[in-house]
């Protein structure tokens, strides 16, 4: 077996592992929403939370902070499927 064939097999197996992990994460997030913590989904949502809290810290009034922080959940829920697709 040539080196090229070996590399192709390794790349295929790594790609397959990534696909299986993402599908598993999607299933666990959607079906077992509160029963399991899925690192991929938690990381995507956590990035949204950190970003929005940082942005809210630069707002001068509580109302502006609250208006911005109210978007965390909807934006976070939209980000999770986008991360799965990437």
């Amino acid at each position: 077996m040539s080196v090229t064939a070996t590399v192709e097999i390794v790349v295929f197996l790594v790609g397959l592992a990534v696909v299986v992990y993402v599908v598993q994460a999607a299933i666990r997030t959607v079906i077992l929403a509160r029963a399991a913590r899925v690192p991929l989904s938690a990381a995507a949502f956590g990035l949204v939370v950190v970003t929005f809290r940082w942005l809210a810290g630069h707002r001068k009034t509580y109302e502006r902070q609250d208006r911005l922080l109210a978007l965390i959940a909807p934006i976070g829920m939209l980000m999770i499927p986008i991360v799965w697709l990437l």
Side-chain angles (χ1 to χ4, degrees):
M1 188 176 340
S2 69
V3 174
T4 305
T6 304
V7 170
E8 288 176 355
I9 291 171
V10 169
V11 169
F12 172 78
L13 291 175
V14 169
L16 182 63
V18 169
V19 168
V20 168
Y21 177 74
V22 170
V23 169
Q24 179 189 18
I27 290 171
R28 288 176 55 201
T29 300
V30 173
I31 295 174
L32 305 173
R34 295 187 187 261
R37 179 170 165 81
V38 181
L40 183 62
S41 300
F45 200 82
L47 180 64
V48 171
V49 170
V50 168
T51 302
F52 273 75
R53 284 189 179 168
W54 180 79
L55 290 171
H58 292 84
R59 301 296 184 254
K60 296 200 184 294
T61 65
Y62 173 78
E63 289 78 18
R64 288 185 179 183
Q65 289 178 357
D66 188 53
R67 196 173 330 149
L68 183 65
L69 293 175
L71 297 174
I72 288 176
I75 300 294
M77 294 305 292
L78 290 173
M79 282 297 295
I80 292 172
I82 292 170
V83 170
W84 292 337
L85 293 173
L86 295 177

